[in-house]
Amino acid sequence: MSLLHTLKSSIAALTLLGVGLVFTVPASADAIADIQAAGKLNVGVFADFPPFSSASSDMSLKGYDMDVAQAIADALKVELVPVAVTGQNRIPYLNDRRVDLLMSVGYSDERAKVIDYAAAYAPYYIAVIGPAAMDVTQAADLAGKSIAVNKGTLEDTSLTEAAPESTDIKRFDNYNSVIQAFISGQTDLMVVGNDVGAQVLAKQEEMKPEQKFQLLSSPSHIALNKGEDALKTAVNDTIAKMVEDGSLNASSQNWLKVDLNPENLKD
């Protein structure tokens, strides 16, 4: 393989990640020592991503991600410093060491070329949601029912593949329209990610909506730079402890409005 071909392949892989020509900075000898010497853990989070992280009334970030990030900082005995990131800049921020960790990162083989992954800590799945009184437990039960979904999304693709031919799939241009169609009775059910679903489950007490079954699961991981094995172990140990002592389930109940199913933390 020629050098030119190799360089082109590398650039293409980075472009797919949306990170441009960003090269990984060599890992320090001991990232944990650096973090503890600085007295702070810089964690990249989405600033407007409820219920995982969003501004509270006092303008501090709260949510499921923030609970986990705080637990990691406490385990390292340092201050948690949230750093707002976007989908486009967060991997460069990590590679440039502006942050030590990234929250809410889905696994992909392409991303794994430039970052490392700690254990999955947050469920992300696409679910069918409907009124508690409606008997729907599997894809076959969708026959003859109307379902709202966001057009052109992974939810739409997953639903289209699973639903029987007689299912009335109503496609909308945004999540607000999907939710409104469902709660107004325009559709029997809706299909959304558990992040969107949690907000509906929390607010519609009269309807008592619930998750009927999942169409797809892809849990979120915490990302870190390659070569930081001690930091990765510390993160994994913290997540394992939170699962064992029930604190991760408590966060799930508080923010996602459902009990944490350990099966949803498997890729």
Side-chain angles (χ1 to χ4, degrees):
M1 181 181 292
S2 68
L3 176 60
L4 178 60
H5 182 78
T6 301
L7 287 173
K8 285 182 177 179
S9 297
S10 299
I11 291 170
L14 288 170
T15 302
L16 284 172
L17 288 169
V19 302
L21 294 178
V22 177
F23 296 91
T24 303
V25 178
S28 60
D30 189 345
I32 290 181
D34 293 342
I35 291 167
Q36 291 178 329
K40 60 183 181 179
L41 177 69
N42 296 318
V43 179
V45 297
F46 294 123
D48 187 18
F49 186 42
F52 292 94
S53 54
S54 60
S56 61
S57 58
D58 64 1
M59 299 310 294
S60 64
L61 291 177
K62 304 290 186 184
Y64 185 97
D65 277 4
M66 302 312 301
D67 287 354
V68 176
Q70 186 63 62
I72 297 169
D74 290 346
L76 296 175
K77 296 181 170 56
V78 295
E79 175 190 0
L80 172 63
V81 180
V83 178
V85 296
T86 67
Q88 291 72 42
N89 71 20
R90 61 180 182 162
I91 292 178
Y93 269 37
L94 179 64
N95 290 158
D96 290 345
R97 301 190 181 280
R98 299 187 191 185
V99 297
D100 303 301
L101 301 171
L102 291 175
M103 308 300 291
S104 288
V105 183
Y107 181 85
S108 77
D109 291 337
E110 288 298 321
R111 283 175 176 163
K113 295 176 181 177
V114 293
I115 61 175
D116 197 5
Y117 290 88
Y121 75 99
Y124 178 77
Y125 50 85
I126 293 170
V128 175
I129 293 179
M134 185 174 292
D135 185 17
V136 172
T137 60
Q138 58 184 335
D141 296 332
L142 302 179
K145 295 182 174 60
S146 58
I147 308 177
V149 69
N150 195 353
K151 180 170 58 179
T153 62
L154 186 58
E155 291 98 315
D156 188 359
T157 302
S158 300
L159 175 61
T160 301
E161 290 178 353
E165 289 186 9
S166 64
T167 306
D168 181 14
I169 300 176
K170 296 185 181 297
R171 297 175 173 87
F172 297 88
D173 291 329
N174 54 64
Y175 287 111
N176 285 336
S177 297
V178 170
I179 293 170
Q180 186 58 38
F182 170 60
I183 64 177
S184 67
Q186 184 178 343
T187 63
D188 301 315
L189 305 157
M190 71 174 182
V191 170
V192 293
N194 62 301
D195 50 347
V196 176
Q199 300 175 57
V200 178
L201 297 176
K203 296 177 181 178
Q204 300 300 318
E205 295 183 2
E206 184 175 343
M207 181 187 289
K208 299 188 186 309
E210 64 182 12
Q211 294 176 10
K212 298 300 185 179
F213 65 93
Q214 295 180 24
L215 291 172
L216 178 147
S217 179
S218 179
S220 293
H221 293 255
I222 296 172
L224 66 163
N225 280 309
K226 288 182 175 295
E228 296 179 351
D229 294 340
L231 179 57
K232 182 175 180 177
T233 297
V235 171
N236 287 346
D237 288 348
T238 300
I239 295 170
K241 182 176 183 297
M242 293 184 75
V243 171
E244 183 179 354
D245 66 17
S247 56
L248 197 59
N249 184 55
S251 289
S252 180
Q253 291 173 331
N254 185 32
W255 298 109
L256 307 183
K257 307 306 176 184
V258 293
D259 286 327
L260 180 67
N261 181 353
E263 291 298 312
N264 290 330
L265 299 183
K266 297 179 180 179
D267 285 300

